[in-house]
Amino acid sequence: MISKSGQPSNKPPCSSAIDFNLSYGPAMAIRVDFADYEAEGVQHQHPQGQLILALYGAVTCRAESGVWIVPPDCGVWIPGGVLHANQVTSNARLTYLFVEPGAAMLPAECCTLSVSPMLREMIHRVAELSGSDARDAHGDRLVRVMLDELALMPRERLELPVSDHPKIALITAALLADPSDRRTLGQWAEHVAVSERSLKRLLVQETGLSFGRWRRQLHLVIALRELAGGATVQRVAGDLGYESTTAFIVMFKKALGTTPSRYFAERLLSAERAGDNRHLRP
């Protein structure tokens, strides 16, 4: 395995921690500290649905229909059989919950779910039981209640809709590589060799958003990932091409109803109250 620096890595892939051949009933969970595993960016799939929780740091999940960020107190749900790839921050500590097909009434498409403190604690307990021989009738009841609670969790709008249309994919790749790029819709239309009107119509058709709203959502997804990874608000604002930190904070507050510092402080406090502070400290 080669690390991001281009040097050989001695860390095993995260998949080595998962044995799908063992029977865990309707669901199993594992905790993953990426200090111990190589971050995997290749596309893969599995028959089980997967919920990705971030205990610390963040993970960006890419699937055919979009890009999702997993900040604290949220999880990304990936239905079974969906091709996806995960990119983690270097400080990431995650919990993966795998759900057998048909075991719960969960969405048929990828989405971000809010995760209550109670549900988070239940998933952590299932992770402890999945790593031991302690699964008994009590553990099975816990799993059923956990899955019922998971099915009730509300969705969060923390995804970036994408498209496999060549022209939209080209713009997406360019802006993910350089989110500070401030080219206008007309300039992008010239870049991909279509009229501005045609590109405007295509973006709405393929993503459901106007160009301005779509780019703001891209900035939000990247900002959440970088802030959860430890970057400062000032650095993120600069990396995204905002003229001032204040302008970035205004965008963030308009999208999520609060400032970046309060957003993460509230989620950290919620996790600590649930007993997770031992996982959230680097």
Side-chain angles (χ1 to χ4, degrees):
M1 183 70 68
I2 303 298
S3 68
K4 291 181 179 180
S5 65
Q7 299 298 319
S9 172
N10 295 322
K11 296 179 181 179
C14 175
S15 56
S16 65
I18 308 169
D19 187 352
F20 290 112
N21 294 319
L22 296 178
S23 176
Y24 292 93
M28 71 170 182
I30 64 166
R31 291 175 179 168
V32 181
D33 186 337
F34 278 87
D36 301 324
Y37 296 101
E38 175 70 29
E40 292 181 288
V42 297
Q43 281 198 325
H44 63 284
Q45 62 182 357
H46 30 73
Q48 295 84 359
Q50 181 181 10
L51 182 74
I52 305 174
L53 293 176
L55 306 176
Y56 194 80
V59 55
T60 303
C61 177
R62 300 189 185 191
E64 181 179 359
S65 60
V67 178
W68 290 263
I69 184 69
V70 191
D73 267 16
C74 291
V76 163
W77 168 250
I78 306 166
V82 173
L83 277 170
H84 61 282
N86 300 324
Q87 177 186 358
V88 301
T89 54
S90 58
N91 61 345
R93 299 174 188 173
L94 312 177
T95 295
Y96 292 156
L97 174 68
F98 294 96
V99 181
E100 291 294 328
M105 295 295 293
L106 292 166
E109 63 281 334
C110 296
C111 60
T112 307
L113 298 175
S114 180
V115 176
S116 68
M118 181 180 75
L119 177 58
R120 179 179 288 261
E121 280 297 294
M122 296 172 78
I123 293 173
H124 290 168
R125 180 56 179 157
V126 169
E128 293 175 357
L129 296 177
S130 297
S132 69
D133 297 325
R135 280 282 284 269
D136 52 15
H138 171 72
D140 291 340
R141 289 193 296 271
L142 173 63
V143 168
R144 294 307 321 171
V145 175
M146 175 197 69
L147 291 176
D148 288 343
E149 285 294 312
L150 178 58
L152 297 175
M153 290 297 103
R155 297 191 186 190
E156 300 281 353
R157 295 186 175 275
L158 298 178
E159 75 274 6
L160 174 70
V162 297
S163 168
D164 59 1
H165 189 286
K167 296 187 185 299
I168 304 300
L170 181 64
I171 297 173
T172 302
L175 284 175
L176 285 173
D178 181 12
S180 66
D181 190 325
R182 287 292 175 169
R183 274 180 278 185
T184 65
L185 177 63
Q187 289 170 324
W188 279 114
E190 183 178 354
H191 180 71
V192 298
V194 295
S195 70
E196 182 174 349
R197 177 179 295 183
S198 295
L199 181 58
K200 180 179 180 179
R201 184 171 57 250
L202 183 62
L203 275 164
V204 174
Q205 176 183 313
E206 293 291 321
T207 71
L209 300 175
S210 68
F211 177 69
R213 290 181 58 199
W214 181 83
R215 183 160 59 182
R216 284 194 296 271
Q217 189 69 7
L218 178 142
H219 284 170
L220 181 64
V221 166
I222 293 175
L224 286 169
R225 180 190 68 197
E226 296 304 310
L227 291 168
T232 65
V233 173
Q234 292 79 6
R235 176 183 168 185
V236 172
D239 289 346
L240 295 180
Y242 284 83
E243 294 182 356
S244 68
T245 301
T246 300
F248 166 72
I249 293 174
V250 169
M251 181 280 293
F252 192 100
K253 188 173 182 179
K254 184 177 181 180
L256 295 179
T258 188
T259 64
S261 58
R262 288 180 180 174
Y263 179 87
F264 285 97
E266 290 168 358
R267 280 150 181 75
L268 178 62
L269 179 60
S270 176
E272 287 178 342
R273 285 175 176 171
D276 289 339
N277 57 307
R278 65 190 183 278
H279 303 298
L280 291 165
R281 298 302 182 189

